[in-house]
Amino acid sequence: MSSDEHTETGTGWPQPAGPGRPSGPAGEPDPRPDAPDPDELSPLAPERSAPAVEPPVQEPAVVEPDDGATVDLSRAAEAGGVVPAVSGDGGAPRRRVSSAGVMIAALLALLGFTLVVQFKSTSTDPTVAATRQEDLVRILYDLNSREVRLRQDIATLEESQRQLRSGQQGRQAALEEATRRADELGILAGTLPATGPGLSVRFEAGEKPISASRVLDAVQELRGAGAEAMQISGGDRATVRIIASTFFLDGEGGSLVVDGRRLTGPFTITVIGDPATMRTALNIPGGVVASVTGDGGKLIVEDREAAEVSALHAPIKLEHARPVS
């Protein structure tokens, strides 16, 4: 065989007679990627063991839920053999409720129950529940009357302030206001007589004499109901004007000492003010009427369209109090 002749090998490509690696046409290597090494096919090459055949690689199983989430089952199996559950909201895995969440829910439920019990206990007033409906209506009427009277006083004071600040009428309004205030203070101090609608409250003793504490309770209830002027008379026609400093003491034989003057029964208080409000104040549960009746006596209350308080009190000379400048 000449030098330009080629021997045919098992590769199917001609090979030069000289040594060297096999080459394709024009000296290029075998283009086939799975072409065996020519040395391995040469009858002079030693026998080699056949290469181990690797098992085919299996692609991991993939589960695609309805919402598009993808879970690799093979990796989950290698991690622990548990395939996580896939929820339907974005592929987020479902988690079990922790013990801390259960404890928080239990505490919230206990707190709500406590608030409900406390609200029910505080909303139930045994005193109001035991009061009769008629008494509640009278108390409500009394409160409403006081509110109306206070609003009227506020409106009067605001009008007086407005007039005092006006230009030409300021001096005349100031004089009229001073006169009105002097009259009011004279009535409150007992130095001026007064007349107006009011009540006549008569105390009649029963088995027990009328005590000074019962009369004082009646005076305080009437003041709280808006009484503006009061006087007390005895069975002997003696009359004493009741002012802020008036005191009451028990006398001998069921008599009563008022500001140092002795009065015999029965006693009558003449008071100027709103009759309905003052009557309600005297008839409240456990009030003056109930106390006098419990002692065996009577308290007779009568309306007066024009009650007259004519008794006067000597002016009090102040020794210690001075107005604030």
Side-chain angles (χ1 to χ4, degrees):
M1 182 179 296
S2 61
S3 59
D4 55 349
E5 291 180 355
H6 298 79
T7 61
E8 185 176 359
T9 64
T11 61
W13 290 86
Q15 186 171 353
R21 294 183 59 85
S23 60
E28 296 179 358
D30 192 347
R32 294 178 299 174
D34 56 349
D37 193 347
D39 296 337
E40 296 179 358
L41 301 178
S42 174
L44 299 179
E47 295 182 359
R48 298 180 181 179
S49 59
V53 179
E54 297 182 356
V57 179
Q58 297 181 356
E59 295 294 333
V62 177
V63 178
E64 295 185 358
D66 295 339
D67 55 358
T70 304
V71 179
D72 193 342
L73 298 181
S74 62
R75 294 183 181 178
E78 292 177 1
V82 179
V83 179
V86 179
S87 62
D89 51 352
R94 298 177 182 174
R95 299 179 180 177
R96 296 182 178 178
V97 180
S98 61
S99 59
V102 175
M103 184 174 296
I104 292 174
L107 290 177
L108 291 177
L110 180 60
L111 177 60
F113 176 76
T114 305
L115 292 177
V116 171
V117 173
Q118 184 178 4
F119 175 76
K120 289 185 177 180
S121 61
T122 54
S123 61
T124 304
D125 189 353
T127 304
V128 177
T131 307
R132 295 181 303 175
Q133 184 177 2
E134 297 178 356
D135 299 333
L136 293 176
V137 172
R138 285 197 297 267
I139 294 173
L140 179 61
Y141 179 78
D142 185 14
L143 294 176
N144 291 335
S145 300
R146 293 184 184 181
E147 181 183 3
V148 172
R149 185 171 62 255
L150 291 176
R151 290 184 181 277
Q152 291 177 352
D153 295 341
I154 292 174
T156 302
L157 293 175
E158 290 178 350
E159 179 64 20
S160 300
Q161 183 182 15
R162 187 187 63 80
Q163 292 180 359
L164 290 174
R165 290 181 177 179
S166 61
Q168 298 178 354
Q169 298 179 353
R171 186 174 181 179
Q172 182 65 26
L175 180 60
E176 294 177 357
E177 179 66 17
T179 303
R180 186 182 66 84
R181 294 295 296 173
D183 293 341
E184 291 181 355
L185 293 176
I187 293 174
L188 294 176
T191 58
L192 293 177
T195 183
L199 295 177
S200 173
V201 183
R202 182 182 178 87
F203 293 83
E204 293 184 357
E207 297 178 358
K208 298 180 180 180
I210 301 298
S211 63
S213 61
R214 300 304 184 198
V215 178
L216 180 59
D217 290 341
V219 171
Q220 292 177 344
E221 290 291 348
L222 292 172
R223 283 176 177 168
E228 298 175 354
M230 284 183 286
Q231 68 180 17
I232 184 169
S233 304
D236 55 356
R237 301 290 183 178
T239 304
V240 178
R241 184 70 172 264
I242 299 175
I243 60 174
S245 61
T246 301
F247 63 89
F248 300 85
L249 297 175
D250 292 324
E252 297 179 356
S255 63
L256 191 66
V257 178
V258 183
D259 276 353
R261 187 168 182 178
R262 184 173 178 270
L263 303 178
T264 59
F267 311 108
T268 302
I269 296 178
T270 303
V271 55
I272 296 176
D274 182 41
T277 303
M278 294 187 296
R279 180 186 291 273
T280 302
L282 295 174
N283 286 277
I284 62 175
V288 178
V289 174
S291 300
V292 174
T293 304
D295 293 338
K298 291 183 180 180
L299 189 67
I300 303 173
V301 181
E302 296 179 355
D303 293 351
R304 291 285 186 269
E305 294 182 0
E308 293 185 2
V309 177
S310 57
L312 302 180
H313 192 280
I316 300 176
K317 184 179 180 180
L318 302 178
E319 298 180 0
H320 305 285
R322 295 291 184 272
V324 179
S325 57

